[in-house]
Amino acid sequence: MKQEKAIIEARNLTMGYGDFILQKDMNFTVRPNDIFIIMGGSGCGKSSLLRLLTGLNEPLGGAVYIDGVNFTHATPDTRKSIMQKCGILYQSGALFSSMTLAENIALPLQQYTDYSQALIDELVSLKLALVGLAGFESFYPSEISGGMKKRAGLARALALDPKIVYFDEPSAGLDPVSSKLLDDLMKNINQSLGTTLVVVTHELSSLLDIGTNGIFLDASSKRIIAQGKPRDLLKNPPNETVYEFLTRGKSENVASTK
């Protein structure tokens, strides 16, 4: 059977700041339609890797390929073209407080397309409906809850119908109910739109529920020490570090998944 082409591929990546190395010799692939989880303890470089994948940081060595194109060493124009096919949901949602939800979501459409305002308004309403916020076009970020802000940020990330959406700790600051709603929404988008999701998270219930693939970064060895579906890693932990992380020290978690 022919292997599916990777949508993201990391080749021999080393990342850090100056002489300080966070992770080295990283090799992994993200398949189309994956919900790819970047796991690991505090300080292992999860968010730094996300910044590297989106071009905000540069690696100390190696390269990232997106859709077969060397993103790391691409020209600015090529990078811009690639990133227009990507969306990002930041931890806080990163909505502009002085703009309504409709204006926030319309912004990338106004900047990167030549659509008429009527079409943009229609697409904005569709994206808000997709994340369960139909009718909230005229609301400002200060007028909605934290969970709704995250969903509005996701609507903006989806504005240009991206192939890939990156998430930085999407459940941060949310109560369990809002977190579960966001997880369900992410799975829905992945399954219905075929969007590839790359998610940095330390939320155990979330990564086990939604993850179809992933990597585990180890701060001590500064290497990837596990790859695969989080639930599979939980059932058959490859080492003690991964076992402790995925069980939080509670061995009954392993038994409950079998």
Side-chain angles (χ1 to χ4, degrees), residues 110-157:
Q110 292 165 341
Q111 289 184 327
Y112 298 114
T113 74
D114 56 3
Y115 296 160
S116 68
Q117 190 58 48
L119 178 55
I120 288 175
D121 291 343
E122 184 179 343
L123 289 171
V124 165
S125 294
L126 283 171
K127 301 304 179 184
L128 282 171
L130 181 65
V131 299
L133 291 175
F136 283 83
E137 285 84 352
S138 61
F139 281 64
Y140 286 87
S142 61
E143 298 174 318
I144 60 177
S145 69
M148 294 168 77
K149 287 177 187 175
K150 291 285 181 81
R151 285 187 278 147
L154 179 54
R156 185 178 61 187

Side-chain angles (χ1 to χ4, degrees), residues 30-245:
V30 180
R31 303 179 302 253
N33 303 337
D34 262 346
I35 300 182
F36 188 89
I37 309 294
I38 300 173
M39 300 170 276
S42 297
C44 68
K46 298 186 299 294
S47 292
S48 293
L49 177 55
L50 195 68
R51 288 194 290 270
L52 192 152
L53 294 174
T54 56
L56 295 176
N57 285 358
E58 299 299 320
L60 298 179
V64 174
Y65 288 75
I66 299 179
D67 260 348
V69 177
N70 188 326
F71 177 71
T72 301
H73 299 115
T75 65
D77 284 345
T78 299
R79 275 198 176 194
K80 182 179 178 182
S81 176
I82 290 171
M83 285 309 298
Q84 283 180 25
K85 300 173 186 175
C86 303
I88 304 174
L89 177 61
Y90 299 96
Q91 265 193 48
S92 63
L95 299 169
F96 293 103
S97 60
S98 61
M99 300 169 69
T100 65
L101 299 191
E103 290 168 340
N104 267 282
I105 295 157
L107 195 59
L109 292 164
Q110 292 165 341
Q111 289 184 327
Y112 298 114
T113 74
D114 56 3
Y115 296 160
S116 68
Q117 190 58 48
L119 178 55
I120 288 175
D121 291 343
E122 184 179 343
L123 289 171
V124 165
S125 294
L126 283 171
K127 301 304 179 184
L128 282 171
L130 181 65
V131 299
L133 291 175
F136 283 83
E137 285 84 352
S138 61
F139 281 64
Y140 286 87
S142 61
E143 298 174 318
I144 60 177
S145 69
M148 294 168 77
K149 287 177 187 175
K150 291 285 181 81
R151 285 187 278 147
L154 179 54
R156 185 178 61 187
L158 295 169
L160 295 172
D161 296 322
K163 297 177 69 173
I164 306 166
V165 178
Y166 298 97
F167 295 79
D168 186 13
E169 298 284 4
S171 300
L174 298 184
D175 62 83
V177 174
S178 297
S179 180
K180 180 65 166 62
L181 286 172
L182 186 59
D183 284 348
D184 290 344
L185 180 58
M186 291 164 65
K187 286 194 291 186
N188 240 0
I189 288 166
N190 169 257
Q191 292 164 8
S192 61
L193 303 181
T195 309
T196 302
L197 312 183
V198 178
V199 186
V200 167
T201 184
H202 67 276
E203 293 288 342
L204 190 58
S205 60
S206 178
L207 66 89
L208 291 173
D209 183 38
I210 68 175
T212 65
N213 194 8
I215 54 174
F216 191 99
L217 307 183
D218 180 48
S220 184
S221 64
K222 300 183 179 181
R223 294 180 184 274
I224 295 171
I225 59 170
Q227 299 195 39
K229 185 175 182 177
R231 277 200 173 272
D232 292 342
L233 296 177
L234 175 59
K235 289 178 181 178
N236 297 290
N239 52 62
E240 188 67 23
T241 301
V242 173
Y243 173 81
E244 288 292 332
F245 180 87

Side-chain angles (χ1 to χ4, degrees), residues 1-9 11 27-32 34 36 213 227:
M1 184 176 178
K2 187 177 180 181
Q3 190 173 12
E4 197 170 17
K5 182 182 176 183
I7 192 167
I8 302 172
E9 184 179 0
R11 299 183 187 174
N27 291 280
F28 62 87
T29 59
V30 180
R31 303 179 302 253
D34 262 346
F36 188 89
N213 194 8
Q227 299 195 39

